[in-house]
Amino acid sequence: MNTVQDLDNHLPLGADLQVGKMPAHWLMARLGKRILRPGGRETTAWLLERVQPGADDDVVELAPGLGITACELLARRPASYTGIERDPGAVRFTERQLLRAGAADARILRADAERIPLPDGSASLVFGEAMLSMQPEAKKAAIFAEVCRLLRPGGRYAVHELAVIPEDLDPKRLEDIQHDLGRAIHVGVRIGTPAQWKKLLEQAGLRLEAVTTTPMRLLEWDRLVDDEGIWGTLRFACNVLRTPGALARLWEVRRTFRRHAGHLCAVALVAGKP
Ligand SMILES: C[S@@+](CC[C@H](N)C(=O)[O-])C[C@H]1O[C@@H](n2cnc3c(N)ncnc32)[C@H](O)[C@@H]1O
C-alpha cells in the first residue's frame, strides 16, 4: 500500500489515505504544494485588489485549507478573521500557520460551511476559494444562503472556483468534463459557466459586482513557479518523485486538465449584499 509519509512537517491531511485514492488536493498538499485553487495566487490577488479588506472588516473565510489566503487577509489587519473549515487536519494546520503569523486572535472553527456557528450579520466580507465546485447543487445553494445570512447589508462575497466555457457549452460535454475531473481528482465536481455562477449568486440575493476568468494551469510548470516559487516547486517535484505512486497519479490529473483545457478556467466573482 502506497501511503504518503509525513513528508511535510507532520502534515496530518489525509495521513491514512492511499496515494492512489486520496483527493488530489490533499495529495498535492502532502507533497508540499500550498496553492490548491484553480486560478492560483494571481486570481486570489485579483480578488483581494477588488475587495480591499481593511481595518473595518469582519472577515469570514470558508475552507481556508492550508491558511495561505488567511495570512494574506490577516496581513491587511481586519477587525476580525474567522475561518470555517470542516477538515480537522486542515484546521490544525491553519491554526499553526496563524500562530506563526502572529495572528493570535484569529480563529478557525471546525464546521461545515452549510451551517456556520456565527450570528446573522457577523461578516462584512466572506472569502471562499476552491470549495464550492466540490459540493452538490443543493449544498451549494445552502452555502450561498448561509453566506447571505452572515453578511451585513453592503457586505461582499469573494468567490474563486472552477468554471467551464463557453457559455453555450453542450451539456453533454459538461457532463463528460465533470465525470473525467471527478475520476482524476477523486472528488465529485459540479461546476458551471461564469454566467451560471453569477445566476447562483443572484438567486441567493447577492448582486454581482465584478468577474474575471483565468486559464486553468494548476499543474503546469509556469503556474507552479508563480504559485510556489522556485524552491517550493523543486521541493514539490522531489516529493512527487520519491513518493511511490504520486507521479502517476498527478500525471493523470494533469492529463485530464489538459484534455479539457479549452473548456476549463478559473472564475473569480465579487458579489455584494444590497
Ligand atoms: C481544494 S481545497 C482549497 C483550500 C483553500 N481554500 C485554497 O484555495 O487553497 C478545499 C478545501 O475545502 C474544504 N471544504 C470542502 N467542503 C467544505 C465545507 N462544506 N465546509 C467547510 N470546508 C469545506 C476542504 O476541507 C478543503 O480544505
Side-chain angles (χ1 to χ4, degrees):
M1 180 170 94
N2 295 331
T3 56
V4 186
Q5 301 306 308
D6 263 355
L7 290 168
D8 195 45
N9 203 13
H10 304 291
L11 197 58
L13 306 163
D16 50 343
L17 299 175
Q18 288 177 257
V19 168
K21 293 192 175 158
M22 65 167 63
H25 58 276
W26 285 156
L27 177 61
M28 289 187 244
R30 291 188 62 80
L31 295 167
K33 183 152 177 38
R34 291 290 165 263
I35 305 297
L36 307 175
R37 55 205 92 133
R41 285 188 193 270
E42 179 190 350
T43 301
T44 304
W46 184 89
L47 280 172
L48 289 167
E49 182 62 30
R50 290 294 161 300
V51 297
Q52 296 279 335
D56 294 336
D57 277 311
D58 289 306
V59 179
V60 173
E61 186 184 3
L62 308 182
L66 304 180
I68 307 297
T69 298
C71 292
E72 295 263 4
L73 288 163
L74 283 160
R76 273 95 176 158
R77 307 224 168 278
S80 69
Y81 170 92
T82 308
I84 305 295
E85 172 59 62
R86 76 173 176 193
D87 184 275
V91 170
R92 286 202 296 281
F93 189 85
T94 300
E95 277 172 346
R96 270 200 328 241
Q97 290 272 90
L98 298 184
L99 276 180
R100 269 192 217 136
D105 52 354
R107 58 184 177 159
I108 307 291
L109 305 178
R110 186 179 167 201
D112 194 305
E114 185 181 22
R115 274 182 307 280
I116 298 175
L118 292 174
D120 297 2
S122 49
S124 62
L125 173 62
V126 175
F127 221 91
E129 299 179 283
M131 57 84 65
L132 291 167
S133 303
M134 59 176 71
Q135 319 290 340
E137 297 309 326
K139 183 144 181 164
K140 237 183 251 160
I143 293 172
F144 281 130
E146 200 54 350
V147 169
C148 260
R149 182 185 71 74
L150 282 190
L151 279 176
R152 303 196 265 272
R156 291 143 313 146
Y157 180 24
V159 179
H160 173 175
E161 292 292 334
L162 256 183
V164 283
I165 45 175
E167 288 299 336
D168 60 355
L169 183 69
D170 176 6
K172 170 76 180 76
R173 189 69 192 261
L174 173 59
E175 272 310 307
D176 291 346
I177 293 173
Q178 292 182 149
H179 176 264
D180 284 4
L181 284 177
R183 207 172 47 185
I185 68 176
H186 296 183
V187 177
V189 177
R190 289 276 149 223
I191 47 183
T193 64
Q196 285 166 339
W197 281 110
K198 171 176 180 261
K199 193 169 162 200
L200 286 177
L201 288 163
E202 288 174 348
Q203 280 168 347
L206 299 167
R207 202 164 45 212
L208 187 73
E209 293 176 358
V211 59
T212 191
T213 59
T214 322
M216 166 56 180
R217 300 180 53 78
L218 190 67
L219 286 175
E220 300 297 336
W221 286 110
D222 56 344
R223 167 68 70 195
L224 280 168
V225 172
D226 280 355
D227 284 349
E228 313 296 334
I230 289 185
W231 291 115
T233 302
L234 287 175
R235 190 177 58 135
F236 176 57
C238 287
N239 287 338
V240 171
L241 291 176
R242 70 192 177 104
T243 303
L247 185 61
R249 180 77 209 283
L250 291 183
W251 224 242
E252 177 54 23
V253 174
R254 192 171 79 163
R255 230 186 343 258
T256 306
F257 289 161
R258 283 186 171 181
R259 191 178 315 131
H260 298 297
H263 294 299
L264 274 182
C265 64
V267 65
L269 309 107
V270 177
K273 178 162 173 175

